[in-house]
Amino acid sequence: YNHVTSKDGILDALAEHVLAELTLPAATGCLEDDLRALAQAFRAANLAHPLAATLVLTRQLASPESLLPTEHVLAVLRRAGLGPALSVHVLRALLATMTGTLLRELNPAPGCGTTDAKGIAWRQQVLEGAALPHLAESAVHLARCDHAAEYAFAVELLIDAVRRIARA
């Protein structure tokens, strides 16, 4: 503890180290492009340090360096015409979506992303036997997961919503 005062200080320093490697993209003035680029930079920085990413995704950091990504997102949203309160709501929705999707990617549930056809068929049969028809018909899709595609889908879904909000 020569440089920090506690275990929390060490964990914060690790999270800040990961965030320091996040390369903030230059703003283009296009809301969609800027949010997409920020989301991809956030994902890349966290995937580069999968064992430390959970710290970044779950700790409340307060140093000016660790707050730069938040400042960047708020600047993009304000340039798009969203007021401060709405920008914070959108920021929180973006963070929740990106964080949840990344946590699922870094700590996948057993069977998520499997290509085991026999295991998928067995799971589908169990679901059909449990009278869960919608889960049964979706079993193949639930078992397979392209994490990059899932992340991109979630980000695009939110960008579409933010675009509609900004236009209103």
Side-chain angles (χ1 to χ4, degrees):
Y1 295 119
N2 292 328
H3 302 286
V4 293
T5 59
S6 65
K7 179 181 174 185
D8 280 333
I10 292 171
L11 297 176
D12 287 349
L14 284 168
E16 289 176 359
H17 174 75
V18 173
L19 282 174
E21 291 186 11
L22 193 155
T23 303
L24 294 171
T28 66
C30 173
L31 173 67
E32 295 88 346
D33 291 346
D34 289 345
L35 290 178
R36 194 174 293 113
L38 282 162
Q40 292 308 319
F42 186 73
R43 181 174 185 267
N46 281 285
L47 291 182
H49 301 280
L51 298 177
T54 301
L55 294 173
V56 174
L57 300 172
T58 60
R59 297 195 70 78
Q60 181 73 37
L61 302 172
S63 73
E65 296 81 18
S66 66
L67 294 174
L68 280 174
T70 302
E71 171 68 19
H72 202 77
V73 173
L74 289 172
V76 167
L77 296 171
R78 295 292 287 128
R79 275 193 299 276
L82 279 65
L86 186 54
S87 293
V88 168
H89 286 304
V90 170
L91 167 73
R92 288 178 178 153
L94 286 166
L95 282 174
T97 299
M98 293 185 306
T99 299
T101 305
L102 282 167
L103 286 172
R104 187 179 61 229
E105 179 172 359
L106 294 168
N107 303 299
C112 182
T114 186
T115 57
D116 173 28
K118 217 170 149 181
I120 294 169
W122 173 82
R123 181 73 175 144
Q124 189 169 13
Q125 185 177 16
V126 167
L127 292 168
E128 287 169 352
L132 300 168
H134 296 99
L135 280 170
E137 75 179 355
S138 300
V140 171
H141 305 289
L142 288 167
R144 295 188 175 115
C145 184
D146 176 340
H147 292 292
E150 291 293 326
Y151 187 83
F153 180 83
V155 168
E156 290 302 320
L157 196 62
L158 231 59
I159 287 173
D160 186 50
V162 173
R163 182 186 316 115
R164 281 187 269 127
I165 291 168
R167 286 183 185 153

